[in-house]
Amino acid sequence: MPLQDVSVKINVASPAPKIGLGRPVIFVQKTGAAEYKEYSTLAALQVDYATGTAVEAKAATIFKQDNRPDKVAVATYATDIKTSMTLFYGREWHFALVANDLAADQLAAATFISDKDFKFLVVQVRTEADRKALKVKKRTKIYDHTIADEHLDAAAVGDLGSQTVGSITWKFKSLKGVTARYLNETEINAIDADFAVAYIVKGGRGQLSEGWLADGSYIDDIHGQDWIKADMENEISYTLGNAPKIPYDARGIGAIEAAMSTTLQRGFKNGIIATLEGGLPDYTVTTLSRDEVDIQDRALRVYPGGSFSYGKSGAIHEARVTGVVNIQ
């Protein structure tokens, strides 16, 4: 019997806070058996991790942000970070950080998360070599920050990760506890070429240089996919679990269709799904009738006939305007 009765899979048509969808976990190397613990305050965390330790420094940066998450988790590993990530992957975190910023651990974690279709790894690097080692890894966000004792990765996750999914882009944002750098065009172009992100002075203020992941996709788009997946699984599960019976006929299929539409309408309201001309949401829901479902699936009480598609709202990251001066 499967542990999960409802599964939503999203296939991207073009190549290339829910509770837990903004929550970070900090992975740290520590002697002994792997452990996982959540903290609602920095003071509670400091009981286990003293001020000045790598874990405490990242957590302090997270808790400093205006839009901080409700909790910060810490997961330990003795030698292999991937073992701990596998063990605790099912816990309610969505953004993984690496406490020690060691390149080997970052690469191992990025390799692990790249094989998943849910959750993110967010890292801070200081060298071009470390950037390039992580380039093209799926679901990994690279922050290039060279200022000692600052944690741009933690600041970004702490402020942006828990905001309503779909409501923001991760470019342009100002953060607390990190210093904006003055980079020239050559330096920022090199960072851009590796799909990394810097915190730079631009337009007279500190701001994040881009909103992409290491494979060139945009984190707000992928975070939106995660939200749709999680919300739709919850909505369909609620429909199945809170009725005396969902019959395998037009009534039951209609209930599942309604649950799917509920999630997509929420996603539209949150800003994940685009608006068509006329103000309508850009999504479709399709269901197979009872007679269109294979008889074996009906015998096993499995309904595989629901599908949906949506147009992502995306975001404008550059604007180019032309003007004409009229000679009077």
Side-chain angles (χ1 to χ4, degrees):
M1 178 181 295
L3 292 176
Q4 184 174 1
D5 295 312
V6 178
S7 176
V8 174
K9 183 177 181 180
I10 297 178
N11 294 311
V12 181
S14 59
K18 299 292 293 180
I19 293 298
L21 262 72
R23 192 173 292 164
V25 59
I26 304 169
F27 284 90
V28 62
Q29 189 168 17
K30 184 179 178 182
T31 302
E35 298 176 341
Y36 184 95
K37 187 173 180 180
E38 295 178 340
Y39 303 89
S40 298
T41 66
L42 181 62
L45 182 141
Q46 287 171 334
V47 172
D48 295 332
Y49 298 94
T51 301
T53 59
V55 170
E56 191 273 344
K58 287 198 186 293
T61 302
I62 292 169
F63 280 114
K64 185 181 296 184
Q65 305 308 310
D66 290 335
N67 301 291
R68 68 178 186 83
D70 60 339
K71 296 177 182 178
V72 173
V74 177
T76 67
Y77 59 98
T79 55
D80 183 7
I81 191 171
K82 289 199 293 183
T83 299
S84 183
M85 294 185 80
T86 300
L87 182 62
F88 300 124
Y89 183 76
R91 299 295 183 96
E92 285 188 338
W93 60 269
H94 210 72
F95 295 93
L97 306 172
V98 180
N100 54 24
D101 291 337
L102 288 179
D105 288 348
Q106 290 176 340
L107 180 58
T111 301
F112 173 87
I113 213 73
S114 189
D115 290 333
K116 302 296 181 181
D117 62 354
F118 202 62
K119 305 191 177 186
F120 297 96
L121 172 71
V122 182
V123 299
Q124 176 169 294
V125 302
R126 298 182 184 277
T127 69
E128 180 181 5
D130 290 344
R131 286 199 319 257
K132 291 189 180 302
L134 299 169
K135 185 178 177 181
V136 312
K137 291 291 188 184
K138 293 188 297 181
R139 292 183 168 271
T140 292
K141 192 159 185 60
I142 309 168
Y143 285 107
D144 184 295
H145 198 64
T146 58
I147 299 175
D149 300 322
E150 292 189 351
H151 301 276
L152 179 54
D153 54 344
V157 168
D159 193 61
L160 307 179
S162 290
Q163 295 192 51
T164 300
V165 181
S167 68
I168 62 166
T169 176
W170 286 49
K171 186 178 179 180
F172 306 119
K173 300 300 183 288
S174 297
L175 304 168
K176 292 184 174 181
V178 288
T179 305
R181 297 155 65 195
Y182 287 88
L183 300 181
N184 60 40
E185 189 171 344
T186 299
E187 291 169 326
I188 194 61
N189 284 344
I191 292 171
D192 285 351
D194 294 328
F195 292 117
V197 179
Y199 194 58
I200 61 175
V201 177
K202 195 174 185 180
R205 66 182 182 89
Q207 59 179 278
L208 292 170
S209 64
E210 255 302 347
W212 49 38
L213 295 165
D215 65 351
S217 59
Y218 288 94
I219 189 169
D220 56 306
D221 288 338
I222 308 303
H223 202 192
Q225 289 177 202
D226 288 357
W227 187 94
I228 294 290
K229 171 183 169 65
D231 191 82
M232 191 172 292
E233 287 178 352
N234 289 338
E235 191 65 33
I236 296 174
S237 293
Y238 181 85
T239 298
L240 296 176
N242 285 271
K245 176 180 178 180
I246 299 294
Y248 208 129
D249 58 19
R251 295 169 295 170
I253 293 170
I256 292 174
E257 181 178 8
M260 295 167 64
S261 296
T262 295
T263 283
L264 294 170
Q265 190 62 38
R266 285 195 194 114
F268 171 64
K269 182 179 180 181
N270 289 354
I272 297 170
I273 296 173
T275 304
L276 296 169
E277 295 296 330
L280 294 175
D282 184 11
Y283 70 78
T284 59
V285 176
T286 304
T287 53
L288 297 180
S289 69
R290 171 187 169 90
D291 291 340
E292 291 174 309
V293 175
D294 186 272
I295 190 171
Q296 186 65 28
D297 285 326
R298 298 207 307 264
L300 293 172
R301 299 192 170 194
V302 175
Y303 179 72
S307 62
F308 67 92
S309 64
Y310 69 85
K312 59 188 179 184
S313 64
I316 296 173
H317 280 190
E318 294 183 32
R320 297 184 177 91
V321 179
T322 58
V324 175
V325 177
N326 296 315
I327 306 298
Q328 301 298 326

